[in-house]
Amino acid sequence: MHNNNPGPDEPGWMSGLAPLSRRGFLRTALLGAAALSTGCASLMRRGQVAPPRYQHLSEDDALVLQQLVRVLLPTAEHGLPSSYSDVPTLQNIDGMVGQMSDQTRELLGLGLWLFERRPMASFQFSRFSRLDEPQALRYVQAMQTGNFVERGLMSTLKTLVCVNYWRDARTWPALDYHGPVTELWGVRRLGNAPLPQA
Amino acid sequence: MTIQINQGLPVVQASDVRQAAPGGQLSLRADVVVVGSGAGGAVAAYELARQGLDVIVLEAGPYIPSTAFTEDFADSLETLYEEHGSQTNKDGDLLILQGRCVGGSTVVNGCVAFRTPDFILDEWRRDFGLNDMTPDVLTPYFERVEKHLSISTNGPHEIARHSQVIKAGAEKLGWSAKPFQRNVKQCALTGHCLSGCKTDRKQSMLVTYLPWAAAHGARIHSDTRVTRLLSKNARVTGIEGEVVDRHGEKVADIRVEAPRVVLAAGAVQTPVLLQRSELGNDQVGRNFACHPSFYVGARYPQPIHPWRGALLGMYVDQFMRPEDGGFVLEVGGLGVAEMCMISEPGTGQPYVEFMENARYNAGIVTLIHDHNVGEVRWRGDHKTIDYRLSKKDFPAMMLSLKAAIRLHLASGAEEVFLPTTERLAVRDAAEIDAAVGRIANQPHALRMVSYHPQGSCRMGADPANSAVDASGRLHGTEDVYVADASLLPTSLIVNPQVTVYALANYVADRMLENPRNRP
């Protein structure tokens, strides 16, 4: 098939990742990261028993996300509801993951696994969840300014974590956000529009 | 006899099929099958049903009545949008939002209503032999849908704080700015358009053409995924598909025998369905465009509360024509969940501060007249949307971004956040060129969203560069029509819903001109 969308110039190593692209919401980012990492998708946590706290996240997933919540959402320092004790950010993520298709959930698991183990010499090749907070913040910042795979993965995980804090109604009063209003305001339903006269 | 339906819709859902077809096979007959219930499908269904044709509308998504809308965007993405709001291009760096529910994208759009610009119609006539695409021919169609959908210009009370502030900035710059026209009746100013209108004020297909089609006898099925068009000796004989419940469980196979099919599943699914059915020429799926957009956010010194009031108030059309830049700036509100997705203000403390100050933010959406460089393709077990911002379109995107930053600064913004994955911000007009100049056209460098996929079954006189003829009929077939945004030969630059309504009506009329298609 004729390719009518050559796109921007790109380094050869990147176009080599293109055939890996499949579907779902992490797509190339995750699969590209798989190719770059020292890990292997077959090592995913298939068959591991999820801790009772979470229905859909494994313990390893939760550890990575917990560290991300700590780094991305230092809300208590701003007098906002705590992102773990007041607002159940991880439980909210767990609920969202439960809504995802199996494929997307699998890709997310792969992304988290890779994020945890992305080898970086400047962090002594430590797992992300084992870094202290300042180091973890630098790790996140390094991913945000990394190659396109790292940027894509980081953007996705950041959005996942932040949306699942701020989607919670307990965070809204501090922002002066009104949330759903129709019932609060008692707005009347209009129903269907009248059938047009021929 | 037609009976007005005042509330809700009679829809056959997966739960109904489970009871009615315990054997797992549903067989139906109709004069016309319409695939998709959004802007194109609903209009086509109504226009055909009111002429006496027996119409069945098949919608892949669920039926969510407006009483069940939650006014929570994160929740709505999961229930009302294609792929739970996570549909992207192949690279994963362009979110492509489409409604996936009865009523389609009309349920979740921002109500913005533009007629097709004349200079776009000029292109369609000049480059694609669409001689009917003149203002004279189309004006009656525009007038008809505008009347049906209560389209009117925003009144002063519908210009929310964010739009007022930025309108003043446009005036300062001497740029042309206008209030939007919208298909809304007595807007309640909740700001929750993108999560569906809970009180039926948005005149979406859910409360207009679909109940009207049903009043004329059209049967509407939700949860029904058409997998293939059936044909025999070059004539279409119907469709087959699956009824799947909300948990992804297949409830039944469905087969509808019908001598004609109207495809209106949207610019992603319509070409996929044709490819799966091995129908149409090699242009099916090509020429995909999508109005890649930025949401350029900025912090103001005074509270804006971007979630308050009408979601979309006014727009800048100063640069609309290609010779003037080829882009439009739309001032748009947003809620808290959306704000988490659109800017990169930093990580940790800076991010929390950004969100803490959410009420001081306002945003501008950029729309460009992008080239039709993409392709939608069925890969055997999944679809791909191969679309990257092309070299030809990158300059227009950057021009639109610079203009949005200038407009924010002229409106009094303290800091403008660039829509990039790297943290980039501008506080002074003198910094604009340097900041925007740092942006490279690379995957995952920009935060882009598409609200308007289009063009993947281009309409045109010549099969060498189009998939569908000037009447909306698939080249090389007799009885397969396309009536959605797939038809658009070039991208529109403006929100496409009115163009799609008008073209769907136009295609229905062309169908009815053929005596074989009359009841």
Side-chain angles (χ1 to χ4, degrees):
Chain A
M1 175 61 71
H2 162 74
N3 178 8
N4 57 3
N5 185 15
D9 290 330
E10 55 195 26
W13 61 266
M14 203 175 84
S15 56
L17 292 178
L20 292 170
S21 294
R22 291 280 291 172
R23 75 205 85 168
F25 99 125
L26 295 175
R27 256 178 249 283
T28 306
L30 300 190
L31 291 159
L36 292 173
S37 79
T38 56
C40 169
S42 63
L43 297 178
M44 279 182 63
R45 303 156 303 285
R46 283 195 173 284
Q48 282 194 5
V49 179
R53 289 181 299 170
Y54 306 109
Q55 278 190 293
H56 309 287
L57 296 171
S58 73
E59 194 168 4
D60 282 358
D61 291 338
L63 281 175
V64 178
L65 289 164
Q66 202 163 20
Q67 176 83 308
L68 276 169
V69 168
R70 205 173 289 133
V71 171
L72 298 176
L73 297 170
T75 50
E77 296 163 34
H78 288 254
L80 298 171
S82 160
S83 50
Y84 27 94
S85 58
D86 297 325
V87 175
T89 310
L90 276 183
Q91 276 87 350
N92 290 349
I93 295 172
D94 190 48
M96 182 182 267
V97 170
Q99 296 285 322
M100 293 174 177
S101 68
D102 289 347
Q103 285 166 345
T104 304
R105 203 182 304 178
E106 200 166 314
L107 280 167
L108 178 62
L110 175 59
L112 289 167
W113 190 90
L114 292 166
F115 188 82
E116 168 78 336
R117 292 163 177 80
R118 178 82 178 91
M120 287 198 212
S122 48
F123 297 96
Q124 285 84 47
F125 300 99
S126 169
R127 290 188 178 194
F128 171 70
S129 65
R130 294 176 186 165
L131 298 172
D132 64 28
E133 266 187 59
Q135 279 184 315
L137 177 59
R138 286 198 296 112
Y139 185 99
V140 166
Q141 288 165 336
M143 291 289 280
Q144 281 179 308
T145 53
N147 61 46
F148 86 99
V149 172
E150 294 163 342
R151 292 196 305 267
L153 180 55
M154 193 62 245
S155 292
T156 302
L157 294 179
K158 189 172 181 180
T159 302
L160 181 74
V161 168
C162 293
V163 165
N164 278 292
Y165 173 75
W166 266 290
R167 73 180 296 183
D168 195 298
R170 281 164 281 203
T171 66
W172 298 345
L175 306 187
D176 211 7
Y177 176 57
H178 55 40
V181 288
T182 289
E183 279 157 19
L184 193 69
W185 295 350
V187 185
R188 184 174 58 90
R189 290 185 71 207
L190 296 187
N192 297 336
L195 196 62
Q197 301 304 306
Chain B
M1 190 176 76
T2 56
I3 300 170
Q4 164 79 30
I5 299 164
N6 292 319
Q7 301 276 349
L9 267 178
V11 177
V12 178
Q13 304 179 60
S15 52
D16 303 313
V17 173
R18 195 191 302 274
Q19 288 183 344
Q25 178 67 46
L26 187 62
S27 298
L28 302 167
R29 284 172 185 268
D31 293 332
V32 187
V33 175
V34 177
V35 183
S37 66
V43 171
Y46 166 69
E47 296 296 346
L48 297 172
R50 80 185 185 89
Q51 295 300 330
L53 287 165
D54 179 18
V55 175
I56 288 185
V57 179
L58 303 177
E59 166 59 49
Y63 171 50
I64 312 284
S66 55
T67 47
F69 294 161
T70 60
E71 300 187 323
D72 177 328
F73 184 63
D75 178 68
S76 303
L77 282 173
E78 288 161 17
T79 54
L80 299 173
Y81 285 77
E82 183 69 36
E83 292 186 24
H84 307 291
S86 64
Q87 178 175 256
T88 67
N89 63 344
K90 202 165 88 175
D91 287 335
D93 62 355
L94 171 65
L95 190 63
I96 300 171
L97 292 176
Q98 285 184 293
R100 189 174 189 276
C101 54
V102 171
S105 295
T106 71
V107 173
V108 292
N109 70 16
C111 309
V112 171
F114 283 100
R115 292 186 183 188
T116 320
D118 286 354
F119 69 88
I120 297 289
L121 295 177
D122 292 344
E123 287 180 9
W124 293 2
R125 292 194 305 277
R126 184 191 65 216
D127 298 337
F128 301 100
L130 297 173
N131 300 329
D132 255 6
M133 295 293 124
T134 63
D136 282 352
V137 170
L138 291 179
T139 293
Y141 289 103
F142 292 140
E143 288 173 346
R144 181 173 168 79
V145 298
E146 286 164 355
K147 183 177 168 201
H148 282 173
L149 300 179
S150 301
I151 291 173
S152 61
T153 304
N154 275 341
H157 67 292
E158 292 166 305
I159 308 295
R161 184 79 184 132
H162 47 78
S163 292
Q164 290 170 14
V165 167
I166 295 176
K167 182 170 180 282
E171 283 165 3
K172 213 164 162 182
L173 291 167
W175 291 357
S176 168
K178 297 186 173 79
F180 281 118
Q181 292 212 308
R182 295 189 304 149
N183 56 319
V184 62
K185 211 192 285 188
Q186 303 168 39
C187 180
L189 310 179
T190 65
H192 286 302
C193 295
L194 305 187
S195 302
C197 185
K198 200 167 171 59
T199 53
D200 303 327
R201 284 149 201 269
K202 179 195 294 185
Q203 298 298 283
S204 74
M205 297 301 96
L206 203 54
V207 297
T208 56
Y209 280 86
L210 286 174
W212 302 342
H216 284 284
R219 290 168 281 167
I220 303 168
H221 288 238
S222 66
D223 310 310
T224 305
R225 304 174 183 174
V226 177
T227 51
R228 201 161 67 96
L229 274 67
L230 304 170
S231 57
K232 194 174 180 183
N233 300 329
R235 299 205 88 92
V236 71
T237 58
I239 63 90
E240 64 182 17
E242 296 176 341
V243 181
V244 178
D245 72 13
R246 291 177 202 185
H247 308 292
E249 188 185 332
K250 182 172 149 184
V251 169
D253 290 310
I254 184 170
R255 189 181 178 97
V256 183
E257 288 181 33
R260 50 196 78 78
V261 173
V262 176
L263 292 178
V268 176
Q269 291 299 338
T270 287
V272 163
L273 189 48
L274 286 169
Q275 289 164 359
R276 293 183 74 172
S277 309
E278 298 180 344
L279 287 170
N281 64 19
D282 68 353
Q283 294 295 305
V284 171
R286 290 190 184 181
N287 309 307
F288 177 82
C290 64
H291 290 164
S293 295
F294 295 135
Y295 188 97
V296 186
R299 192 187 64 247
Y300 283 75
Q302 73 276 32
I304 301 287
H305 292 98
W307 43 81
R308 289 186 185 169
L311 184 79
L312 287 143
M314 50 77 62
Y315 67 103
V316 170
D317 64 351
Q318 178 79 22
F319 310 100
M320 186 189 274
R321 297 185 65 88
E323 59 270 29
D324 297 324
F327 61 88
V328 173
L329 304 177
E330 300 188 344
V331 183
L334 80 171
V336 168
E338 300 95 299
M339 203 167 283
C340 295
M341 305 175 187
I342 51 110
S343 295
E344 181 46 68
T347 298
Q349 298 280 359
Y351 189 88
V352 174
E353 279 167 21
F354 168 78
M355 290 302 296
E356 201 177 12
N357 291 313
R359 78 193 67 138
Y360 295 93
N361 279 276
I364 296 170
V365 176
T366 64
L367 288 179
I368 67 161
H369 180 34
D370 60 324
H371 290 77
N372 296 64
V373 296
E375 182 169 348
V376 177
R377 189 132 302 269
W378 178 246
R379 300 288 178 192
D381 64 348
H382 69 284
K383 68 169 196 262
T384 55
I385 305 171
D386 191 357
Y387 182 94
R388 284 181 179 172
L389 187 60
S390 74
K391 284 179 181 172
K392 289 183 282 192
D393 292 325
F394 184 67
M397 285 295 274
M398 293 303 104
L399 272 180
S400 70
L401 175 56
K402 286 181 181 180
I405 299 169
R406 277 189 73 192
L407 183 53
H408 268 310
L409 293 173
S411 306
E414 292 177 331
E415 185 171 23
V416 185
F417 304 100
L418 274 57
T420 50
T421 49
E422 182 188 0
R423 187 188 188 285
L424 286 174
V426 168
R427 289 169 172 269
D428 186 279
E431 301 166 8
I432 296 175
D433 285 345
V436 175
R438 287 187 56 175
I439 300 172
N441 187 13
Q442 291 176 341
H444 291 282
L446 295 163
R447 288 171 183 263
M448 294 184 291
V449 182
S450 161
Y451 308 95
H452 306 148
Q454 54 192 290
S456 50
C457 292
R458 176 186 268 169
M459 189 187 229
D462 183 355
N465 66 0
S466 62
V468 168
D469 72 15
S471 67
R473 192 170 50 184
L474 191 70
H475 283 305
T477 64
E478 283 296 316
D479 312 299
V480 180
Y481 289 81
V482 175
D484 60 24
S486 310
L487 290 173
L488 308 185
T490 66
S491 74
L492 285 183
I493 204 172
V494 293
N495 308 54
Q497 66 165 334
V498 170
T499 300
V500 177
Y501 299 136
L503 286 181
N505 195 338
Y506 175 87
V507 169
D509 283 358
R510 299 293 79 73
M511 285 179 73
L512 291 162
E513 279 175 357
N514 183 339
R516 284 200 321 111
N517 291 335
R518 292 191 201 129

